Amino acid sequence: MRSTVHRTGSWTPRSSSALRHESAVDRDGYIERLVRGGFPDAVRRAPRRRERYFDSYVADTINRDVMQLWDIERGREMHSLVRLLAARSGQIVVPASLANGLEVSAQTVRRYLALLEEVFLIKQIPAWTRNLNTRSIAKSKLAFVDSGVAAAMLDQDVSRLRKPGSPLGGLLEGFVAMEIARQLTWSRTRAELFHYRTRDQV
């Protein structure tokens, strides 16, 4: 997990030992929470019915909220983009790369990303930098607002995510980032969410 919270004002980095945390939840428990997501209607359902709920939720969001409100005609491209984004959860978003896979322009992809963020399907986490002027153009990381939706778009359940080579790492990073984002909505400390990379892209 390399996403980080930056307090507004002065900030002093802590040692890694100060950031260690023990949890009663084990790896399987986190995977189960990730797949379940946070929508009350989804949490109450059995796994198969939950998957259908997520499919319907994404379809309704695109067909009703995105296509009708913003007069977008190419719904198939938007559906394909959502699946591509799910596969890139927790990763850097590169519109030009996504555009090649969809055979649309990078500008169109940027517009679609903004719309999907507007309807709270995804969140783009900007790169941290001391230069405020470059924050808006630095490459962002992607997280799905609900991890269950991302897992469903990739047809991933608990058993599949336990296996080596699964997309667990990216999905888990997005899950953690959005849990932090929720905490910030009620935190008394004014803070913003960024991801951090060194000049060597670490």
Side-chain angles (χ1 to χ4, degrees), residues 3 6 11 30 36 65 81 93 102 138 142 167 178 181 188:
S3 295
H6 176 69
W11 178 70
Y30 281 115
R36 187 174 64 218
D65 298 341
L81 175 61
V93 179
L102 295 171
L142 175 84
M178 292 314 304
R188 292 183 179 180

Side-chain angles (χ1 to χ4, degrees), residues 84-91 142-144 150 167 169-175:
L84 285 175
L85 294 175
R88 287 164 173 78
S89 182
Q91 299 178 22
L142 175 84
F144 269 69
L171 291 173
L172 184 60
E173 183 162 340
F175 168 76

Side-chain angles (χ1 to χ4, degrees), residues 18-170:
L19 297 175
R20 295 194 184 207
H21 171 69
E22 292 185 10
S23 173
V25 182
D26 61 10
R27 183 175 185 269
D28 284 349
Y30 281 115
I31 294 174
E32 288 170 7
R33 290 185 186 195
L34 186 159
V35 170
R36 187 174 64 218
F39 290 123
D41 286 343
V43 169
R44 291 193 297 263
R45 297 170 189 249
R48 273 299 164 206
R49 294 186 61 226
R50 187 184 304 135
E51 290 171 9
R52 288 195 290 271
Y53 171 86
F54 287 136
D55 288 340
S56 296
Y57 176 81
V58 172
D60 288 346
T61 299
I62 292 173
N63 296 334
R64 181 190 63 230
D65 298 341
V66 176
M67 293 182 65
Q68 291 182 18
L69 292 178
W70 284 280
D71 194 24
I72 290 179
E73 298 177 355
R74 294 180 285 193
R76 182 175 296 178
E77 290 174 355
M78 184 67 82
H79 282 272
S80 298
L81 175 61
V82 170
R83 284 193 164 80
L84 285 175
L85 294 175
R88 287 164 173 78
S89 182
Q91 299 178 22
I92 301 294
V93 179
V94 182
S97 174
L98 294 168
N100 291 335
L102 295 171
E103 298 183 352
V104 298
S105 69
Q107 183 177 356
T108 297
V109 170
R110 289 188 190 93
R111 181 183 177 219
Y112 285 0
L113 289 171
L115 295 178
L116 291 173
E117 195 163 20
E118 189 78 17
V119 296
F120 303 105
L121 194 60
I122 65 169
K123 182 173 180 62
Q124 297 183 78
I125 302 170
W128 184 86
T129 173
R130 292 183 186 277
N131 188 342
L132 294 177
N133 294 324
T134 63
R135 284 186 180 173
S136 61
I137 61 173
K139 291 179 179 177
S140 297
K141 268 196 174 186
L142 175 84
F144 269 69
V145 171
D146 189 273
S147 60
V149 171
M153 292 298 97
L154 297 176
D155 196 26
Q156 294 289 319
D157 58 16
V158 173
S159 63
R160 291 191 183 99
L161 285 176
R162 286 185 183 130
K163 296 177 181 177
S166 78
L168 176 60

